[in-house]
Amino acid sequence: MAQHVLAMMSGTSPEGAAAALRGRAERPDYIALLPRIAVPTLVVVGEDDEFTPVSDARLIQRQVPGATLEIIRRAAHMPNLEREAEFNAALQKFLDTLPPAAAAER
């Protein structure tokens, strides 16, 4: 996983990385908009994520009507890469709860 992330980071231009960091730093607070989300929502967080801690994920879950929260154990900010099997199982479990029409759109 470390090699994969290093390759992604190394392949990013300094301008692109700077723009991404600037965008993250300057983005507005969208918490007030979360209650408007009207689609099935899965919030996934690594239990050791320092950038988006579990407390933030719980806040998102509480604000999005009907949202599902999955905490991936022994993972940090990239649970899809760090704990791929657990992440995929959580995603599949969520997808299995969707109504047939939503599932057909996958």
Side-chain angles (χ1 to χ4, degrees), residues 18-43:
L21 292 171
R22 203 169 24 260
R24 182 174 172 89
E26 296 174 357
R27 74 175 183 259
D29 184 347
Y30 291 107
I31 295 293
L33 298 177
L34 294 178
R36 295 184 189 175
I37 294 176
V39 296
T41 302
L42 173 63
V43 180

Side-chain angles (χ1 to χ4, degrees), residues 1-88:
M1 183 197 68
Q3 289 177 350
H4 175 74
V5 173
L6 181 59
M8 286 189 326
M9 293 172 64
S10 298
T12 301
S13 71
E15 298 82 11
L21 292 171
R22 203 169 24 260
R24 182 174 172 89
E26 296 174 357
R27 74 175 183 259
D29 184 347
Y30 291 107
I31 295 293
L33 298 177
L34 294 178
R36 295 184 189 175
I37 294 176
V39 296
T41 302
L42 173 63
V43 180
V44 180
V45 66
E47 75 175 337
D48 300 321
D49 192 335
E50 294 181 12
F51 297 106
T52 308
V54 171
S55 59
D56 288 358
R58 289 188 194 284
L59 173 65
I60 294 167
Q61 178 203 19
R62 285 193 306 271
Q63 294 297 314
V64 176
T68 300
L69 174 64
E70 288 287 347
I71 301 169
I72 307 296
R73 307 284 177 226
R74 298 181 310 278
H77 192 61
M78 294 187 283
N80 59 316
L81 298 177
E82 298 168 64
R83 309 292 292 175
E84 184 178 351
E86 292 85 345
F87 176 87
N88 288 342

